Amino acid sequence: MKQPINILIVGVGGQGTLFAGKVIGSVAERSGFDVKQSEVHGMAQRGGSVVTYVRFGNTVASPLVEKGEADIIVAFEQLEALRWIEYLKPGGTGIVNELKISPMPVITGAAKYPDNIFTRLEQAGVNTIRVNAGKLAADSGNPKALNIVLLGLLAKRLPLARELWDAAIGEVGPAASRTANLLAFDKGWSF
């Protein structure tokens, strides 16, 4: 792999974006790649925007993904996909959860949640994979595992061995959730 693969994981505080980044980094390292990661938490504890940058390849100089360089954006919430879309490279892929979480300006009435986000993404030329990750997580028996479902969708599209994902999910996540998390991962992988 000559060029690094650049991934942005975007969502709202508490959705598990940081966990997802740790799993991806673990799998890429186990695959023998140089890995760089960075997170921006902001007001994450209050439901604010969170972004995790993950880059891996033969050699990676910086953890940050510049505008127009992301191969894949995994959006845990619709508005976050729209907020970060300028970071996606032309022809890049957006894995976008259908969930809507209103930010504080929308809650207070100072702003309106944007309409037609998926249409806007398509008009911007984004190869969009639209998914109801919450439903797939609930179908797996673990409604809180939407982050793991989204990891499964992402993993299927990366040059990293499936068995390494299973091992990393088991080690990074709590042991008590391992079986449920693997079922959620399978739902995403099979989507």
Side-chain angles (χ1 to χ4, degrees):
M1 172 185 325
K2 291 184 180 183
Q3 298 291 330
I5 292 179
N6 301 316
I7 302 168
L8 258 66
I9 305 163
V10 300
V12 174
Q15 286 192 289
T17 58
L18 302 179
F19 174 83
K22 287 178 184 176
V23 171
I24 297 165
S26 175
V27 173
E29 277 185 352
R30 291 166 192 252
S31 299
F33 292 113
D34 185 18
V35 179
K36 300 286 189 286
Q37 291 179 250
S38 179
E39 297 100 16
V40 178
H41 304 268
M43 295 291 286
Q45 292 177 341
R46 298 183 186 193
S49 182
V50 178
V51 60
T52 300
Y53 303 89
V54 181
R55 301 183 72 217
F56 67 90
N58 292 338
T59 303
V60 179
S62 166
L64 299 181
V65 177
E66 300 294 330
K67 290 180 181 178
E69 290 185 353
D71 296 290
I72 300 174
I73 292 178
V74 182
F76 286 38
E77 192 274 339
Q78 287 186 40
L79 182 56
E80 293 303 315
L82 194 59
R83 183 185 321 263
W84 291 95
I85 200 62
E86 65 188 338
Y87 282 79
L88 195 63
K89 73 179 186 182
T93 299
I95 298 172
V96 184
N97 188 16
E98 293 178 351
L99 179 66
K100 291 182 179 181
I101 299 175
S102 294
M104 193 54 69
V106 172
I107 292 170
T108 62
K112 182 179 178 285
Y113 196 97
D115 293 326
N116 307 315
I117 288 176
F118 286 100
T119 302
R120 291 180 183 193
L121 294 173
E122 289 172 18
Q123 289 171 345
V126 177
N127 174 22
T128 305
I129 300 167
R130 181 178 182 165
V131 60
N132 184 338
K135 181 183 182 323
L136 292 175
D139 290 349
S140 75
N142 187 2
K144 294 181 179 182
L146 71 85
N147 61 336
I148 307 294
V149 169
L150 292 167
L151 265 178
L153 269 101
L154 172 65
K156 186 81 177 244
R157 288 150 182 85
L158 295 176
L160 304 170
R162 168 62 198 259
E163 61 273 7
L164 296 178
W165 290 95
D166 293 346
I169 288 168
E171 289 176 16
V172 175
S177 302
R178 185 177 197 281
T179 301
N181 283 344
L182 291 175
L183 288 171
F185 184 85
D186 285 338
K187 289 285 185 182
W189 182 274
S190 301
F191 181 78

